[in-house]
Amino acid sequence: MTTSESEVATSAEARQGLSSERAAALQAQWGRNEIAAVARAGWWETLLEVLREPMFLLLLGASAVYLALGDRIEALTLLAFVLLVVALTAFQSHRTRQVLDALRELCAPRAQVLRDGTLQAVSATELVPGDVVVVGEGARVPADGVLFEAHELSVDESLLSGESVPIAKSCDGTLPEPALAATRQLFFGSMVVQGQGRMIVSAIGGSTALGRIGASLGGITQAQSPLQLQARAFVNRFAIVALCLCVLLAVAYRWRTGEWVPALLAGITLAMGILPEEIPVIMTVFMALGARRIAAEGVLTRRLNAIETLGEVSVLCVDKTGTLTQNRMAVRVLFAQGQEQVVDDTLPELGEAYHELLEYLVLASEIEPFDPMERAFQRAGQRYLGGTEHLHGDWALVQEYALSPALPAMSHGWHAPDLSHYPVACKGAPEAICDLCHLDEAQTAALLERSAQMASRGLRVLGVARALHPGSEWPARQHDFEFSFVGLVGLLDPVRPEAAEAIAACRAAGIRVVMITGDYPTTAQAIAAEVGLDATRVVSGAALAEMDDAQLDRIIDRVQIFARIQPMQKLRLVDAFRRRGEVVAMTGDGVNDAPALKQADIGVAMGIKGTEAAKEIADMIITDDNFATIVSAVEQGRIIYANILKFIHYLLSCNFAEILTVFAAILIGQPLPLGALQILWLNMITDVFPALALALEPSAPDMMKRPPRDPRESLVGGQFLGLIAWQGAMLSALTLIAFEVGLRRYGGEPDGILRARTIAFLTLGFAQVVHAFNARSQRRSVFTSRLFTNEWLWAAVLTCVVLQVAAISAPPLRALLHTIPPTAFDWAVISACSLAPVAIVELSKLATRRRSRAAAPIKA
């Protein structure tokens, strides 16, 4: 929807914003503020995508061959099983898309909008024409609009124009109409790089300038991660080996029986039963469900690839303010006229000596602040200066000078109706204020010493100055004013109570926490000591600037605190850590943090104080800005990876057992111990349910006491493959033993073979179910206090047991699966061989623990 600029009212009434009822009516009329809504794949699209997978096409082809050559009833049953696998896979894929859509909504940009007379944060998709929107540094303009208020506002319109040079915007009425219209217009998708402003929305969605040229903004990306690519490559290799074994099986069967058709059908059946077609799909499901679990911890995942990287993080670079601290700034100390005053809740009033300091501190601050520090100044002013002549509601802000890397100070020029001059208020870093006031060396040294003393108490320290402007043309820079020093202010941001415990957890997990802050070294040291970081050595931004890369590489592993760091220096620190082979997670909140967030292995943006620029480039967003939440996300990442290994461990060892059982029986001259439908039944029931339940395993007690995972580590390495192979061989051997016992007791006639197959079928099914408990850990005993911590696994086991019993009890299933009710002797054999895997694996784990008691634990 769009309106012409002439239709955009800029009256005082329009600037009050819309009511909620009016906004809802307009949204119903014009729709959501989206350029190109992300297409939501329906069931049919998901199903067709699954059917395009080569593995599923192979299974359907095998079903067709079986239908042409084999028994029609069995062939149709096999086809039904395959279609059921396809349907379940499509269901999981559709569920994954729903999870990603939900995450996309959570990660959607938000806008500050004036509704019902109050400033509210709403989803940018809910904006309508006529809304009054506040934009500030780091925010992406959420719709086309016309400015009616601007303070030092500059925007990057490169998304539209391709020009990366920021464009100044203003409401300067002295400009001619064409120029004024251009400087007042803001466009959807532009990035605010400096200043603040208010605009009235003139166009939304596809009617914006960006929408008309067909651009679109990204959300959650679904590109396959390295782990998913590894899984797919492994499954393809496993499938080739399995198919080769099936061909050998068919050849061996033909060699023994002299018949090709039964041999071909046996090979096809085995291939249909043991191909691990579900692993790539389940990997995606794991990642999506993992993203949902992490979201419950307060972390929104914008890129699923980041979930697997969480388990590899070895260096965690964090800011101090709002991450280790509570981001609840309060004015705690005032220093003026050589006196110091502690400000707390018990202070009833402020001495006259400090009134001017607080007055000019408020004048140098934003009128409608978003930053917690600016809000703290306004709160202190209202509390201690309310009702005095030191608060100036009738003064108008007429000139602004913004902070810059070269001069970390900002100034406001005011028009005072009762004064013949313009008061100028300035605040900034103490050294910058000393420079602006042209203090001599002795005065500067004394003030910086006082500042350092305040900072050593964990305070963030700013200086305040004042000047008078006679009323002629405003100077181009702050240095041209004759500033006078007013005082120092110290702000306290309390440390989060859980920060020290979270840092200790990182230390135990082999993760190095590094504080990178723009605050003073003494302030950073005080906070670091309180949360348990090594505060003995601090590197300042100035010292870092003097180091070359070789010098930085030599000291970076010995320093945990970097203070007075410029945003672009964060990028250099990230590069230095990565050169050492570290996997780096970096937190950030500002526009200038974006390069470091992008360069880090995991960029983490702050959800509360973070700008849209930081959120868009980040891999994850912390909704509460809490360091402990980041640590929880790292633990969840480790859990997800560990559970993927458990799933693969269980599924492949069961599949290998099925291959080996049939193949070995033919080689040693036994009849086939499992029928075609029995193999598919096991593949559908006792393979899948416990494997999926293992994905929901809770965290191991020592999960955060292990070193980070090596990023070069293969998903399925040689040692892991060896474990899968010997445990699959064990399950196969127990099944063949049970089958041989049945043949010896009941003979080799058809009835005897039927009973022996039933014994083998039940033995392998129950043994696989029992083996799920072995797969929970590669070294811990099954018989621990954690035996009952995964209720989903117990539910899966119970389901499998009930279905296995139904397979020999329900007449339709007995006829379909060719089973017969076992005798008491049969149950004894089945029970002994089914429970044996636990005893055998327990002995193996005991031997492993004894050999590596002093070594780091193997993957669990």
Side-chain angles (χ1 to χ4, degrees):
M1 184 269 181
T2 185
T3 61
S4 68
E5 187 171 320
S6 62
E7 294 174 314
V8 178
T10 56
S11 65
E13 181 182 356
R15 296 179 185 185
Q16 298 305 308
L18 302 174
S19 66
S20 296
E21 294 77 10
R22 177 61 176 158
L26 286 172
Q27 187 169 44
Q29 179 181 1
W30 300 109
R32 291 163 65 86
N33 179 31
E34 294 177 319
I35 289 180
V38 179
R40 303 293 197 265
W43 279 102
W44 284 110
E45 290 87 347
T46 305
L47 184 61
L48 289 174
E49 185 176 322
V50 169
L51 288 175
R52 283 196 293 267
E53 286 286 331
M55 207 75 74
F56 289 111
L57 291 175
L58 180 62
L59 291 178
L60 290 173
S63 300
V65 173
Y66 204 103
L67 183 62
L69 299 178
D71 180 87
R72 189 170 297 274
I73 300 298
E74 279 201 3
L76 291 174
T77 306
L78 288 171
L79 183 60
F81 270 114
V82 171
L83 293 177
L84 181 59
V85 172
V86 171
L88 287 174
T89 305
F91 170 76
Q92 292 287 5
S93 297
H94 189 74
R95 186 182 178 194
T96 299
R97 281 204 172 95
Q98 288 179 320
V99 171
L100 292 176
D101 288 343
L103 287 171
R104 185 178 288 109
E105 291 295 329
L106 289 172
C107 294
R110 303 189 69 77
Q112 297 287 332
V113 61
L114 198 61
R115 294 262 177 93
D116 300 319
T118 61
L119 200 59
Q120 304 174 18
V122 304
S123 172
T125 60
E126 298 175 11
L127 293 180
V128 295
D131 265 328
V132 172
V133 176
V134 178
V135 293
E137 183 175 324
R140 192 167 292 278
V141 178
D144 282 4
V146 179
L147 281 169
F148 63 84
E149 182 181 313
H151 303 288
E152 295 291 315
L153 186 65
S154 295
V155 298
D156 178 356
E157 296 181 351
S158 59
L159 194 62
L160 279 165
S161 65
E163 295 292 334
S164 59
V165 178
I167 299 173
K169 299 288 182 176
S170 73
C171 302
D172 186 355
T174 63
L175 293 174
E177 182 56 36
L180 177 60
T183 59
R184 291 178 63 198
Q185 185 69 47
L186 292 183
F187 297 103
F188 186 16
S190 302
M191 182 66 70
V192 179
V193 295
Q194 180 181 309
Q196 289 181 321
R198 290 191 177 210
M199 73 175 196
I200 297 179
V201 174
S202 60
I204 62 171
S207 298
T208 61
L210 188 60
R212 289 194 295 271
I213 63 174
S216 64
L217 299 176
I220 295 177
T221 59
Q222 301 183 46
Q224 286 197 324
S225 69
L227 200 60
Q228 290 171 300
L229 293 173
Q230 278 192 54
R232 183 170 292 278
F234 172 75
V235 165
N236 291 339
R237 290 194 298 269
F238 185 90
I240 292 172
V241 173
L243 288 174
C244 290
L245 289 175
C246 292
V247 171
L248 289 175
L249 170 69
V251 171
Y253 196 91
R254 163 67 176 79
W255 174 67
R256 281 196 54 232
T257 64
E259 299 182 48
W260 271 113
V261 172
L264 184 59
L265 294 179
I268 289 173
T269 301
L270 190 61
M272 293 172 70
I274 53 84
L275 286 176
E277 72 284 342
E278 60 274 274
I279 287 182
V281 176
I282 293 298
M283 287 280 290
T284 304
V285 173
F286 274 24
M287 292 297 181
L289 295 182
R292 188 169 68 177
R293 286 172 65 175
I294 291 176
E297 298 284 337
V299 181
L300 303 181
T301 306
R302 298 190 71 252
R303 296 175 179 85
L304 291 184
N305 299 9
I307 293 177
E308 67 182 68
T309 311
L310 281 171
E312 303 170 0
V313 171
S314 58
V315 171
L316 188 50
C317 299
V318 297
D319 192 6
K320 173 184 69 66
T321 305
T323 308
L324 297 177
T325 61
Q326 298 178 29
N327 204 26
R328 289 165 51 190
M329 288 280 190
V331 173
R332 184 51 53 93
V333 175
L334 297 174
F335 175 79
Q337 299 179 22
Q339 304 176 57
E340 182 176 292
Q341 174 66 59
V342 175
V343 180
D344 56 28
D345 295 336
T346 64
L347 183 67
E349 61 182 29
L350 199 61
E352 186 67 31
Y354 306 100
H355 282 193
E356 185 185 45
L357 171 58
L358 197 51
E359 174 187 9
Y360 276 87
L361 185 62
V362 172
L363 288 173
S365 303
E366 298 293 344
I367 300 173
E368 294 183 354
F370 295 105
D371 186 84
M373 183 173 65
E374 301 272 323
R375 289 178 177 176
F377 299 149
Q378 296 285 0
R379 285 196 305 269
Q382 291 296 329
R383 179 176 179 180
Y384 294 110
L385 299 182
T388 72
E389 71 277 11
H390 296 286
L391 286 184
H392 309 285
D394 59 337
W395 288 15
L397 179 64
V398 293
Q399 182 68 16
E400 294 180 86
Y401 297 90
L403 283 162
S404 69
L407 182 63
M410 62 181 291
S411 297
H412 284 172
W414 296 86
H415 170 66
D418 54 344
L419 297 177
S420 60
H421 60 270
Y422 292 84
V424 180
C426 177
K427 74 174 189 298
E431 63 270 25
I433 297 299
C434 291
D435 184 28
L436 288 171
C437 294
H438 305 292
L439 301 181
D440 59 34
E441 290 186 11
Q443 292 172 315
T444 299
L447 283 174
L448 293 183
E449 174 62 26
R450 170 66 65 170
S451 172
Q453 291 175 7
M454 293 169 65
S456 67
R457 289 137 64 184
L459 299 174
R460 183 170 189 178
V461 184
L462 295 177
V464 179
R466 63 186 292 265
L468 302 177
H469 180 57
S472 56
E473 184 178 349
W474 287 93
R477 59 193 193 123
Q478 298 178 77
H479 275 288
D480 294 332
F481 291 108
E482 293 293 333
F483 279 112
S484 300
F485 181 77
V486 178
L488 299 173
V489 58
L491 296 106
L492 181 66
D493 187 7
V495 169
R496 292 184 183 271
E498 63 275 18
E501 183 179 350
I503 286 175
C506 285
R507 190 179 297 112
I511 300 171
R512 183 174 165 216
V513 179
V514 178
M515 180 196 294
I516 302 177
T517 178
D519 229 327
Y520 278 90
T522 47
T523 305
Q525 283 179 302
I527 299 297
E530 193 170 347
V531 298
L533 290 176
D534 181 6
T536 56
R537 185 168 185 180
V538 181
V539 172
S540 68
L544 180 62
E546 294 177 358
M547 295 181 188
D548 58 26
D549 286 347
Q551 292 172 313
L552 178 58
D553 290 344
R554 284 196 294 271
I555 62 98
I556 197 166
D557 62 334
R558 304 194 301 273
V559 179
Q560 279 193 281
I561 306 172
F562 293 87
R564 301 301 279 172
I565 296 296
Q566 297 293 329
M568 291 307 296
Q569 289 180 314
K570 293 183 179 181
L571 175 61
R572 189 177 175 205
L573 290 173
V574 169
D575 286 335
F577 281 120
R578 296 189 72 195
R579 283 197 300 270
R580 292 179 54 82
E582 307 284 4
V583 177
V584 182
M586 164 68 77
T587 67
D589 54 21
V591 177
N592 293 330
D593 290 334
L597 291 176
K598 185 175 183 179
Q599 185 70 3
D601 297 283
I602 301 180
V604 182
M606 301 294 103
I608 297 175
K609 65 173 183 173
T611 61
E612 290 300 326
K615 293 175 185 177
E616 285 182 10
I617 205 70
D619 302 294
M620 294 182 167
I621 301 172
I622 306 298
T623 58
D624 60 1
D625 292 7
N626 193 338
F627 177 75
T629 303
I630 304 174
V631 179
S632 296
V634 170
E635 181 177 11
Q636 287 296 326
R638 291 187 175 195
I639 293 170
I640 292 166
Y641 182 78
N643 289 350
I644 287 173
L645 290 181
K646 293 169 187 176
F647 166 81
I648 293 175
H649 175 189
Y650 175 77
L651 192 66
L652 292 188
S653 55
C654 290
N655 280 6
F656 186 64
E658 293 164 11
I659 298 174
L660 201 56
T661 298
V662 177
F663 196 76
I666 292 176
L667 290 182
I668 63 178
Q670 284 185 338
L672 286 178
L674 297 170
L677 294 180
Q678 289 175 342
I679 291 175
L680 274 183
W681 174 272
L682 293 175
N683 192 251
M684 284 293 302
I685 305 301
T686 61
D687 280 10
V688 173
F689 289 138
L692 291 176
L694 287 170
L696 301 173
E697 276 283 297
S699 178
D702 63 342
M703 184 62 73
M704 291 297 284
K705 295 180 182 177
R706 310 172 189 177
R709 179 170 63 90
D710 188 337
R712 296 166 298 181
E713 178 182 288
S714 173
L715 177 65
V716 184
Q719 184 179 359
F720 193 41
L721 275 177
L723 179 71
I724 290 170
W726 87 255
Q727 292 186 357
M730 171 198 65
L731 295 174
S732 175
L734 292 167
T735 303
L736 290 171
I737 289 171
F739 184 59
E740 180 65 23
V741 170
L743 286 177
R744 288 178 182 273
R745 183 171 180 86
Y746 299 112
E749 298 302 319
D751 286 347
I753 293 175
L754 179 62
R755 283 194 171 276
R757 274 186 178 168
T758 300
I759 293 172
F761 169 66
L762 291 175
T763 296
L764 183 54
F766 287 133
Q768 287 180 343
V769 169
V770 168
H771 182 55
F773 292 96
N774 292 330
R776 294 184 72 189
S777 174
Q778 293 180 26
R779 68 187 304 272
R780 284 193 311 274
S781 171
V782 169
F783 306 105
T784 65
S785 58
R786 301 181 67 252
L787 182 60
F788 300 100
T789 55
N790 188 349
E791 63 272 15
W792 293 103
L793 181 58
W794 282 99
V797 166
L798 182 61
T799 301
C800 291
V801 169
V802 169
L803 290 174
Q804 280 292 90
V805 171
I808 57 169
S809 304
L813 288 178
R814 283 171 50 192
L816 185 66
L817 296 172
H818 304 295
T819 59
I820 191 169
T823 64
F825 174 83
D826 299 343
W827 277 118
V829 174
I830 293 166
S831 299
C833 292
S834 298
L835 295 174
V838 171
I840 295 170
V841 174
E842 281 296 300
L843 289 173
S844 171
K845 288 179 181 179
L846 178 62
T848 300
R849 288 195 299 271
R850 286 180 174 175
R851 283 196 306 267
S852 58
R853 192 173 300 276
I858 308 173
K859 304 173 229 169

